[in-house]
Amino acid sequence: MEFCFADRTANMNGTATREIFKLLSRPEIISFAGGLPATEALPVKELKEICGELLSASDAYKLLQYGTTEGYPPLADAVIQTVKEFGVCAERENVLVISGGQQGIDLMCKSFLNAGDTVLVENPTYLAALQIFNSYEAKAVGIRADAYGIDVADLEAKIKLHKPKFVYLVPTFSNPTGKTYSEKNRKEIAFVTAKYGIPVLEDDPYARLRFSGEKVNALYSFAQSDNVVYLASFSKILSPGLRVGGAVGNPDIIRKMAICKQGTDLHTSLLAQAIAAEYCRRGLLKRSVEDSLPLYASRKKAMMRGIEKYMPSEFVHTNPEGGLFVWGEFDGCDINTAELLHRAVERNVAYIQGSVFYADGSGKNTIRLNFSNASEEKIDEGMKALGEFFKEEISRAKN
Ligand SMILES: Cc1ncc(COP(=O)(O)O)c(C=O)c1O
C-alpha cells in the first residue's frame, strides 16, 4: 500500500543519524561517530539502589501515576540548583522539565515556528537541531564562526536580513566542534539579540564536562533582556536513557512550551524524574561528574596523540577543554568526507562527515570525532587506521 504522508515529512532526512547507529552496532568497528557518554560513567549500581528505595516507599504508586506537565517539583528544584553553577538564576515559574534537551529544541520550534520561518544557527551546528527545524518547515541560516564564538557582525546582518524567529546556539563544548564561546562573545550576542528582540535558544548539555581551562558562565547569565531560553540536560552527566532535562526561561515562553509539551508526551516520566532528583539530592551528581572528568581528559589526550602521530599534516583541528568532540578540517584538500565514509568503515573505523552539521551542506572536507566512548588503546588503533586512510585519500586527490 502506498501511504500519503504529510508534505512536511518529504524533506526530513534521518539518513546520517541512522547510519551512525548502524555503524555503532558492529563490534569490529572503532567508532568515533557517536556522541555517547562513556559506558564507565553510567552509574548502574547507584541507580539500582535508588530505584529499589523509591519503589519500596509506601507511596511509590505516585511515581507510577500521571504527573504534571511542568515537572516533578524535586526535579525542577534540582534543575534550578544545577543551572546556578553557570550563573543561570531561576524560580519554579522559569522551569519546565523536559524529556531531554532534544525535546527542548522541539518545543521551542513548536512554540515559535511557522512554515517558512528562519532560525539562525552557528555554522556548523548540532545535526539533529537542523533536522527538527526542517520538520517544522523552517529554514536554518548559518552564521560565520571562529575559535572564540560566532561573528557578531554577521549575526547582526543576518538578523536584519532574515528576521529570524530565534537564534539556536551551543556555546559551550559545541556539538560538533567542541569549541566554547568566550565571555566577550557571549556578552556581544546577548547585546545584539536583545537590541533586535530576538529570542536565543542556548543548548547546553556539555558545560559540566569541563576537564581543563576556566569555567565560562552561560550566555543566559549575560542576557540583557529575558530573550534567552536555556536548555540543561542530564543525558551526558547522568544517563541519556533516563531522558530528563530542563528548559529555563521567561515564564510566558515556558508556559507556551508546556502547552506544546502536553500534546507531545503529557509529561516526562515521573519515575525517571524521581530517580534523577534523588541522585542529585544525595550529592551523587557532583561526585560522579568529578569522577568521570579524568577519564574524558585522558581519552581526549589519547585522541590528540593519535592525531599528532597519524593524521596528515593538512588536518587542522580543535583541542577542546571539555565535552565529547574534536572537529577537524583537511585544509586545502579537495576531498569529500561523506563520500569517503563507507571506505573508512571498510577499514573498521568510523567518523561523521562534517557536511551534515552545516545548514548549507558545505564543509565537505571536515569531520567530527568523538573521543568519549572508546578506550585509549582503541583510540590509538582507530586513529592509526584513520590517519593512514586519509593520507592515502589526500595523496590520491592531489595526483
Ligand atoms: C547539542 C546537543 N543538544 C541536544 C542533544 C540531545 O540530548 P538529550 O539526550 O538531552 O536529548 C544532544 C545530544 O547529543 C546534543 O549534542
Side-chain angles (χ1 to χ4, degrees), residues 100-102 126 168 170 175 203 205-206 233 235-236 243:
Q102 188 79 4
Y126 176 45
Y168 169 78
V170 189
N175 180 0
D203 187 9
Y206 301 107
S233 170
S235 288
K236 311 293 173 167
R243 310 305 306 134

Side-chain angles (χ1 to χ4, degrees), residues 6 17 34 68 70 105 109 115 166 226 250 261 267 271 289 291 301 306 316 334 342 348 394-396:
T17 322
T68 61
E70 287 71 17
I105 305 169
C109 292
F166 63 89
D226 53 359
N250 171 300
K261 181 174 163 70
H267 62 81
L271 185 56
V289 170
D291 288 351
K301 274 192 196 139
V316 181
D334 184 20
H342 70 281
N348 290 337
I394 287 170
S395 77
R396 201 198 312 268

Side-chain angles (χ1 to χ4, degrees), residues 187 194 254 366:
K187 287 179 179 163
I254 291 298
T366 60

Side-chain angles (χ1 to χ4, degrees), residues 74-86 88 90 208 280:
L75 201 259
D77 290 340
V79 169
I80 291 170
Q81 286 307 318
T82 307
V83 301
K84 226 183 237 169
E85 202 175 315
F86 300 99
V88 176
R208 287 189 82 148
C280 295

Side-chain angles (χ1 to χ4, degrees), residues 34-36 98-105 125-129 168-170 172-176 203-206 231-236 239-241 243-245 324-325 368:
L36 309 183
I98 48 180
S99 302
Q102 188 79 4
Q103 186 176 63
I105 305 169
T125 194
Y126 176 45
L127 160 65
Y168 169 78
L169 300 170
V170 189
T172 305
F173 309 136
S174 149
N175 180 0
D203 187 9
D204 201 21
Y206 301 107
L231 297 182
S233 170
F234 289 96
S235 288
K236 311 293 173 167
S239 154
R243 310 305 306 134
V244 175
L324 306 181
F325 305 108
R368 188 194 77 179

